[in-house]
Amino acid sequence: MSAESPVAAGQFTRRRQQFRDWRGTRPFWAGLLVLLGGFPIMYFPYANLKFGNLTVAMSTTAGAGSLIIGVLLVVLGVSLWFQKHVRTFAGVAAILLALVSIPVSNFGGFVVGFVLSLVGGAMAVSWAPGIPAEPQPAQLTRERGDVPGGAAEEPNHLSGTSPANGANGRRSAG
Protein backbone atom coordinates (compact mmCIF):
# COMPACT_ATOMS: atom_id res chain seq x y z
CA MET A 1 0.00 0.00 0.00
CA SER A 2 1.50 3.35 -0.99
CA ALA A 3 1.27 6.65 0.84
CA GLU A 4 -0.94 8.08 -1.90
CA SER A 5 -3.65 5.46 -1.59
CA PRO A 6 -7.15 6.76 -0.85
CA VAL A 7 -7.42 4.46 2.18
CA ALA A 8 -4.57 6.23 3.97
CA ALA A 9 -5.94 9.67 3.07
CA GLY A 10 -9.40 8.71 4.30
CA GLN A 11 -8.04 7.36 7.56
CA PHE A 12 -5.94 10.49 8.11
CA THR A 13 -8.97 12.69 7.47
CA ARG A 14 -11.10 10.63 9.83
CA ARG A 15 -8.45 10.73 12.59
CA ARG A 16 -7.99 14.47 12.12
CA GLN A 17 -11.75 14.99 12.39
CA GLN A 18 -11.87 12.82 15.53
CA PHE A 19 -9.07 14.90 17.06
CA ARG A 20 -10.90 18.09 16.12
CA ASP A 21 -14.09 16.84 17.74
CA TRP A 22 -12.18 15.78 20.87
CA ARG A 23 -10.35 19.10 21.01
CA GLY A 24 -13.61 21.05 20.70
CA THR A 25 -15.14 19.47 23.80
CA ARG A 26 -12.46 20.58 26.25
CA PRO A 27 -10.17 23.57 27.00
CA PHE A 28 -7.44 22.25 24.70
CA TRP A 29 -5.58 25.49 24.01
CA ALA A 30 -5.67 26.49 27.67
CA GLY A 31 -4.13 23.13 28.60
CA LEU A 32 -1.48 23.50 25.92
CA LEU A 33 -0.46 26.97 27.09
CA VAL A 34 -0.30 25.88 30.76
CA LEU A 35 1.73 22.81 29.78
CA LEU A 36 4.15 24.85 27.66
CA GLY A 37 4.42 27.46 30.43
CA GLY A 38 5.69 24.85 32.87
CA PHE A 39 8.73 23.89 30.81
CA PRO A 40 10.70 27.18 30.91
CA ILE A 41 9.89 27.58 34.60
CA MET A 42 11.42 24.22 35.47
CA TYR A 43 14.24 24.36 32.89
CA PHE A 44 15.99 27.69 33.42
CA PRO A 45 17.08 27.23 37.06
CA TYR A 46 19.00 24.10 36.01
CA ALA A 47 20.31 25.36 32.67
CA ASN A 48 23.97 25.99 31.91
CA LEU A 49 24.50 28.11 28.83
CA LYS A 50 27.88 27.97 27.10
CA PHE A 51 29.20 30.86 25.06
CA GLY A 52 32.54 29.59 23.73
CA ASN A 53 34.68 29.06 26.83
CA LEU A 54 32.30 31.01 29.06
CA THR A 55 29.73 28.99 30.98
CA VAL A 56 26.76 30.84 32.47
CA ALA A 57 25.05 28.89 35.26
CA MET A 58 21.61 30.16 36.16
CA SER A 59 21.27 27.86 39.16
CA THR A 60 19.50 29.48 42.04
CA THR A 61 18.73 28.43 45.59
CA ALA A 62 15.10 28.03 44.60
CA GLY A 63 15.79 25.30 42.04
CA ALA A 64 13.60 22.77 43.85
CA GLY A 65 10.74 25.25 44.05
CA SER A 66 11.03 25.94 40.34
CA LEU A 67 10.99 22.25 39.58
CA ILE A 68 7.88 21.72 41.68
CA ILE A 69 6.07 24.68 40.10
CA GLY A 70 6.98 23.53 36.58
CA VAL A 71 5.91 19.94 37.16
CA LEU A 72 2.62 21.08 38.72
CA LEU A 73 1.93 23.31 35.71
CA VAL A 74 2.61 20.42 33.32
CA VAL A 75 0.27 18.18 35.33
CA LEU A 76 -2.42 20.88 35.37
CA GLY A 77 -2.11 21.30 31.60
CA VAL A 78 -2.54 17.58 31.01
CA SER A 79 -5.45 17.42 33.43
CA LEU A 80 -7.18 20.21 31.49
CA TRP A 81 -7.07 17.95 28.45
CA PHE A 82 -8.30 14.75 30.02
CA GLN A 83 -10.47 15.94 32.91
CA LYS A 84 -12.40 18.93 31.67
CA HIS A 85 -14.58 19.13 34.79
CA VAL A 86 -11.62 20.42 36.84
CA ARG A 87 -11.07 23.36 34.51
CA THR A 88 -11.89 26.06 37.06
CA PHE A 89 -9.64 24.59 39.75
CA ALA A 90 -6.82 23.93 37.26
CA GLY A 91 -7.12 27.43 35.80
CA VAL A 92 -7.00 29.17 39.18
CA ALA A 93 -4.13 26.93 40.31
CA ALA A 94 -2.21 27.70 37.09
CA ILE A 95 -2.69 31.44 37.61
CA LEU A 96 -1.50 31.22 41.22
CA LEU A 97 1.50 29.06 40.31
CA ALA A 98 2.40 31.47 37.51
CA LEU A 99 2.32 34.36 39.97
CA VAL A 100 4.42 32.44 42.50
CA SER A 101 6.96 31.61 39.78
CA ILE A 102 7.95 35.28 39.42
CA PRO A 103 9.96 35.51 42.67
CA VAL A 104 10.82 31.81 42.86
CA SER A 105 12.15 30.87 39.44
CA ASN A 106 14.05 33.54 37.51
CA PHE A 107 11.12 35.88 36.91
CA GLY A 108 8.80 33.04 35.92
CA GLY A 109 11.11 31.40 33.41
CA PHE A 110 12.26 34.77 32.08
CA VAL A 111 8.63 35.89 31.77
CA VAL A 112 7.93 33.33 29.01
CA GLY A 113 6.62 30.62 31.30
CA PHE A 114 4.80 33.18 33.44
CA VAL A 115 2.88 34.68 30.52
CA LEU A 116 2.03 31.31 28.95
CA SER A 117 0.77 29.91 32.26
CA LEU A 118 -1.15 33.06 33.14
CA VAL A 119 -2.94 33.24 29.77
CA GLY A 120 -3.61 29.49 29.76
CA GLY A 121 -5.03 29.62 33.28
CA ALA A 122 -7.29 32.53 32.35
CA MET A 123 -8.48 30.66 29.27
CA ALA A 124 -9.23 27.57 31.39
CA VAL A 125 -11.29 29.56 33.88
CA SER A 126 -13.27 31.31 31.14
CA TRP A 127 -13.88 28.22 28.97
CA ALA A 128 -17.42 26.84 28.87
CA PRO A 129 -18.62 23.83 26.90
CA GLY A 130 -20.65 24.79 23.87
CA ILE A 131 -24.09 23.44 23.17
CA PRO A 132 -24.61 22.89 19.45
CA ALA A 133 -27.85 24.37 18.20
CA GLU A 134 -29.59 22.00 15.84
CA PRO A 135 -32.33 23.57 13.72
CA GLN A 136 -35.61 21.70 13.65
CA PRO A 137 -36.76 20.43 10.24
CA ALA A 138 -40.12 22.19 10.60
CA GLN A 139 -38.42 25.54 11.12
CA LEU A 140 -36.28 25.07 8.02
CA THR A 141 -39.23 24.36 5.76
CA ARG A 142 -41.25 27.24 7.21
CA GLU A 143 -38.39 29.69 6.60
CA ARG A 144 -38.03 28.61 2.98
CA GLY A 145 -41.74 28.91 2.37
CA ASP A 146 -42.31 25.22 1.61
CA VAL A 147 -45.10 24.97 4.15
CA PRO A 148 -48.37 26.68 3.09
CA GLY A 149 -48.62 29.97 4.91
CA GLY A 150 -45.06 29.60 6.16
CA ALA A 151 -43.67 32.76 4.60
CA ALA A 152 -46.62 34.92 5.64
CA GLU A 153 -46.75 33.43 9.15
CA GLU A 154 -45.55 35.66 11.97
CA PRO A 155 -42.23 34.56 13.55
CA ASN A 156 -42.34 32.81 16.90
CA HIS A 157 -40.95 35.27 19.43
CA LEU A 158 -39.51 33.36 22.34
CA SER A 159 -39.01 36.46 24.44
CA GLY A 160 -42.74 37.09 24.73
CA THR A 161 -42.40 40.62 23.35
CA SER A 162 -44.60 40.48 20.30
CA PRO A 163 -47.07 43.15 19.17
CA ALA A 164 -49.55 40.34 18.59
CA ASN A 165 -49.82 39.45 22.27
CA GLY A 166 -49.74 43.05 23.52
CA ALA A 167 -46.43 42.72 25.36
CA ASN A 168 -43.75 45.29 24.83
CA GLY A 169 -41.05 43.79 27.03
CA ARG A 170 -42.46 45.00 30.34
CA ARG A 171 -43.65 42.60 32.97
CA SER A 172 -46.78 43.31 34.93
CA ALA A 173 -46.53 43.42 38.71
CA GLY A 174 -49.64 41.37 39.33
Side-chain angles (χ1 to χ4, degrees):
M1 183 181 283
S2 70
E4 292 135 7
S5 67
V7 175
Q11 185 176 9
F12 175 75
T13 304
R14 189 176 74 243
R15 295 286 184 198
R16 189 174 61 92
Q17 186 63 37
Q18 287 175 346
F19 176 69
R20 247 176 119 181
D21 294 341
W22 176 82
R23 188 184 69 199
T25 60
R26 59 200 71 245
F28 177 79
W29 295 110
L32 183 67
L33 288 177
V34 170
L35 180 108
L36 291 177
F39 287 119
I41 289 173
M42 71 178 153
Y43 172 74
F44 286 129
Y46 296 102
N48 291 328
L49 298 176
K50 292 188 178 189
F51 298 108
N53 291 334
L54 178 65
T55 302
V56 178
M58 291 180 273
S59 299
T60 63
T61 58
S66 300
L67 184 64
I68 290 171
I69 290 172
V71 168
L72 285 174
L73 284 171
V74 169
V75 168
L76 287 172
V78 171
S79 71
L80 282 170
W81 286 346
F82 296 109
Q83 296 180 355
K84 60 183 173 184
H85 58 279
V86 298
R87 66 176 172 82
T88 305
F89 167 74
V92 170
I95 291 171
L96 291 175
L97 286 171
L99 291 171
V100 168
S101 74
I102 291 175
V104 171
S105 65
N106 297 334
F107 296 109
F110 295 117
V111 185
V112 174
F114 164 71
V115 170
L116 288 173
S117 299
L118 194 69
V119 171
M123 287 172 65
V125 169
S126 67
W127 183 84
I131 301 171
E134 297 179 17
Q136 301 296 324
Q139 289 176 339
L140 290 176
T141 55
R142 225 181 282 141
E143 289 173 1
R144 289 191 310 226
D146 295 343
V147 176
E153 204 173 293
E154 192 151 326
N156 183 12
H157 291 284
L158 298 176
S159 65
T161 58
S162 168
N165 65 6
N168 60 359
R170 299 183 190 141
R171 304 256 183 222
S172 64

